Amino acid sequence: LWVGQDGRDGATAQVALVERATGSVVARHEAGPGPHALAAAGAGLAVSASPSGVALLRAGTEARPLPGLGGGFAEAVWSPLAELVLLLDRGEGKAVAVRPDGRPVASWQVAPGAAGLFLDPTGRLLLIPEPDERRVTVVDLGRGTVAHRVSLEGRPRRVGFSRAQAYVQHEEGGRLSLIALNSLVEGGRPAVATIAAGDGGLGAADDALGATVATAPGDGAMLIASPEDRVAHVYMEGMAAPSGALRLPPQARPLAIAAIDRGLREVAPGRYEAQAVFPAGGRWVVPVMQQGGGFLHCFEFEVAGDAGAAVPLTRRMR
């Protein structure tokens, strides 16, 4: 786990490498004053981008600056499919692709003030919202070219994905633009639809802490965080509007959203598994029901150890 410091008073100009299994810091890299945008680029390798420049970080060695790229980069993401680190310079209005060895291979012009870098689930398409231009630039990393510049009705700020759609959230209002991913292939014509999700947008300040659109458990279900409305909308793909909303505690603003599916999954014929975290050790009874299948059974077992231990639930159902 690569951890950057923001370079403010009391912080350092280091990026720490943490071993997740033990939680111990195994290395500290001098990466220049932050804030640091980090992209893990394979085992023991990362790229750090900050206003002071770009550095290649490798476990066991010192940070290697990449002076030819310049500074001012505010975001970095990694595409495993293309094996590229992607950097965004909002001030200059450019996105740069860098190989894991630090070699730049491509650069694409975008509007100054571009809001971020968002990779589709395959890792091939890179979507870059440009609020001032009211559009999203789509880069095909397989071809290394700008495939589309998609005009939108609002000022795009963030992008989330299902397997079939890109969900573009705007600064103003509660409408989202949905772009069919299969329409962004070479020679395709972008297919854009809109849905209404509440009254408030994301706002001009990009204070999100992570993804604000997430795939929910179930077929075609999505969760959409609405910070100004203080809810998380539940949307079924294909509908004109969300089917409901998850209310949050008073004064809470959802700045990131993720869904964890704890449902049973068939891993082999007749064998189902799930994982859950129990609040304490002791004897537990877990009822399992299959909707529409007439199956209902209560499994009893002992949980040893301290509270919060992860226990795999594995039983054979006949």
Side-chain angles (χ1 to χ4, degrees), residues 116-119 125-129 136-139 159 161 166 179 184:
L117 303 174
F118 300 90
L119 280 169
L125 296 177
L126 175 67
L127 277 67
I128 307 173
V136 170
T137 288
V138 181
V139 178
V159 185
F161 298 94
I179 307 174
L184 299 177

Side-chain angles (χ1 to χ4, degrees), residues 173-199:
R175 301 187 69 82
L176 282 80
S177 298
L178 274 58
I179 307 174
L181 293 177
N182 61 8
S183 72
L184 299 177
V185 298
E186 182 180 359
R189 182 176 181 180
V192 183
T194 59
I195 63 170
D199 299 319

Side-chain angles (χ1 to χ4, degrees), residues 40-221:
L45 183 65
V47 170
S48 170
S50 70
S52 60
V54 181
L56 187 66
L57 311 179
R58 189 184 300 274
T61 64
E62 294 184 357
R64 178 163 71 89
L66 304 177
L69 296 177
F73 293 101
E75 190 161 350
V77 297
W78 164 250
S79 170
L81 179 68
E83 295 185 338
L84 292 172
V85 175
L86 306 162
L87 308 171
L88 175 63
D89 187 330
R90 291 190 174 104
E92 293 291 331
K94 66 178 180 180
V96 178
V98 180
R99 291 289 184 195
D101 60 3
R103 177 169 51 93
V105 295
S107 178
W108 305 282
Q109 201 69 30
V110 296
L117 303 174
F118 300 90
L119 280 169
D120 84 319
T122 69
R124 174 167 181 167
L125 296 177
L126 175 67
L127 277 67
I128 307 173
E130 300 165 279
D132 293 341
E133 302 294 324
R134 293 178 175 262
R135 72 184 183 192
V136 170
T137 288
V138 181
V139 178
D140 186 336
L141 298 177
R143 300 174 59 216
T145 60
V146 174
H148 300 281
R149 296 193 189 271
V150 185
S151 297
L152 303 173
E153 296 179 358
R155 294 170 57 86
R157 176 58 58 178
R158 298 187 65 82
V159 185
F161 298 94
S162 68
R163 287 179 294 180
Q165 303 272 0
Y167 288 71
V168 184
Q169 293 175 284
H170 300 166
E171 290 181 1
E172 70 287 341
R175 301 187 69 82
L176 282 80
S177 298
L178 274 58
I179 307 174
L181 293 177
N182 61 8
S183 72
L184 299 177
V185 298
E186 182 180 359
R189 182 176 181 180
V192 183
T194 59
I195 63 170
D199 299 319
L202 289 177
D206 191 10
D207 55 356
L209 301 176
T212 50
V213 175
T215 303
D219 187 15

